[in-house]
Amino acid sequence: MPEPIIEIEDVHKRFGRVHALRGVSLTVEKGEVVVIIGPSGSGKSTLLRCINRLEEYNSGRISVDGIPLDSTENINAVRQEVGMVFQQFNLFSHLSVMDNLILAQMQVRKRSRSEAEGIARELLKKVGIPEKERAFPGQLSGGQQQRVAIARALAMNPKIMLFDEPTSALDPEMIKEVLDVMTGLAAEGMTMVVVSHEMGFARAAADRMIFMDEGRIVEMASPNDFFINPKEERSRAFLSKVL
Ligand code: ADP
Ligand code: MG
């Protein structure tokens, strides 16, 4: 039984004269992995950022796990359920990996230090770098930093993970280690919305592909249909560039 967990209805977002989202509607089911692609400036990041209200939208409705994003209280509740991973890893450079991993657990989830550390160690194992808890971000490769960022998001027990081009700042040899962690999460049933042009990942992990252009969802299809037989000319043209 499909069970909607993200419901986006006719959302518009303007930055001054730029109409970044022009009526986007999308429902994501629990456990679904949705991969969004599209040219630079098409509104992909803005859409992700609207889902946890890092960005305010001008009109339309979004609700997450049944909670409408319409009051400060609700927005805070939703943010607790949604983890986000950015292109730039956004770790605290003056804190060790362990301290990066326990800070929000203690402050937001009110866990004790020892409980938070236990969870952090489990997650470092899960992302494949258990030996790095004492390192500082600057001592890690980009791929390792991004895996810490994923572990940090997971430490909050999110119901949904949003990824905004998580591998586009990485050297090629580090991309796979991050995509492997994401593929594992998808296989465990995490609901994920992923902006990425890694088409191998999309084929392997996506339940649904979305192509955005000029602030709109232009095409939405299963990976099979999307890759083999894209319906829209614009998706076709874009795919021929990224494949
Ligand atoms: P994408 O992630 O697909 O590259 P974005 O969502 O970042 O696209 O941007 C969509 C449009 O909104 C672009 O024209 C971009 O320049 C504009 N935009 C995004 N964020 C801002 C901002 N904070 N201020 C002004 N314009 C913005
Ligand atoms: Mg973007």
Side-chain angles (χ1 to χ4, degrees):
M1 266 300 272
E3 215 181 320
I5 186 163
I6 304 172
E7 294 171 279
I8 301 170
E9 246 185 278
D10 198 24
V11 165
H12 286 260
K13 168 66 184 178
R14 290 181 185 79
F15 296 101
R17 280 187 303 179
V18 176
H19 198 166
L21 297 177
R22 302 173 182 232
V24 172
S25 298
L26 168 67
T27 301
V28 179
E29 311 293 342
K30 219 169 254 183
E32 201 181 10
V33 177
V34 175
V35 172
I36 303 177
I37 69 172
S40 178
S42 56
K44 306 179 300 294
S45 295
T46 304
L47 178 61
L48 276 198
R49 293 166 61 82
C50 284
I51 295 174
N52 61 357
R53 225 13 156 81
L54 289 177
E55 208 72 76
E56 242 178 275
Y57 39 95
N58 298 100
S59 63
R61 286 159 301 282
I62 298 180
S63 57
V64 175
D65 206 15
I67 307 171
L69 286 175
D70 60 2
S71 66
T72 309
E73 198 186 343
N74 283 0
I75 289 166
N76 287 334
V78 163
R79 284 193 184 141
Q80 298 227 1
E81 300 197 5
V82 181
M84 183 148 182
V85 174
F86 303 87
Q87 177 175 339
Q88 299 301 340
F89 328 118
N90 291 6
L91 298 172
F92 295 111
S93 57
H94 62 293
L95 296 180
S96 68
V97 165
M98 180 53 82
D99 285 341
N100 266 282
L101 291 173
I102 65 176
L103 188 67
Q105 291 195 65
M106 292 167 64
Q107 285 182 356
V108 180
R109 291 282 190 233
K110 309 294 177 203
R111 291 176 186 149
S112 70
R113 176 174 292 270
S114 65
E115 188 190 2
E117 285 179 349
I119 291 168
R121 287 196 181 101
E122 283 308 307
L123 287 168
L124 282 177
K125 261 189 243 162
K126 188 186 176 95
V127 301
I129 41 174
E131 72 284 4
K132 295 295 184 192
E133 67 172 76
R134 283 179 224 285
F136 283 78
Q139 300 168 317
L140 302 178
S141 72
Q144 291 170 334
Q145 290 186 57
Q146 191 60 299
R147 286 183 285 157
V148 173
I150 293 172
R152 184 175 62 176
L154 293 175
M156 304 303 280
N157 306 111
K159 293 186 176 163
I160 298 164
M161 286 285 285
L162 308 177
F163 292 87
D164 193 358
E165 305 207 34
T167 60
S168 49
L170 299 178
D171 293 333
E173 69 271 21
M174 290 162 196
I175 291 177
K176 183 174 182 297
E177 63 196 38
V178 171
L179 293 178
D180 284 349
V181 170
M182 292 169 62
T183 306
L185 268 184
E188 286 171 14
M190 177 64 80
T191 306
M192 297 168 44
V193 183
V194 182
V195 175
S196 174
H197 294 133
E198 291 295 334
M199 293 299 102
F201 168 78
R203 281 178 200 274
D207 296 301
R208 209 148 35 121
M209 295 297 302
I210 286 177
F211 175 71
M212 283 186 75
D213 195 16
E214 296 180 346
R216 291 193 179 87
I217 292 179
V218 172
E219 183 155 1
M220 184 145 69
S222 72
N224 255 347
D225 292 344
F226 187 76
F227 288 115
I228 293 164
N229 190 19
K231 290 197 174 52
E232 301 293 329
E233 188 47 45
R234 278 184 286 178
S235 329
R236 251 178 243 259
F238 187 78
L239 271 178
S240 72
K241 288 184 213 152
V242 294
L243 281 178

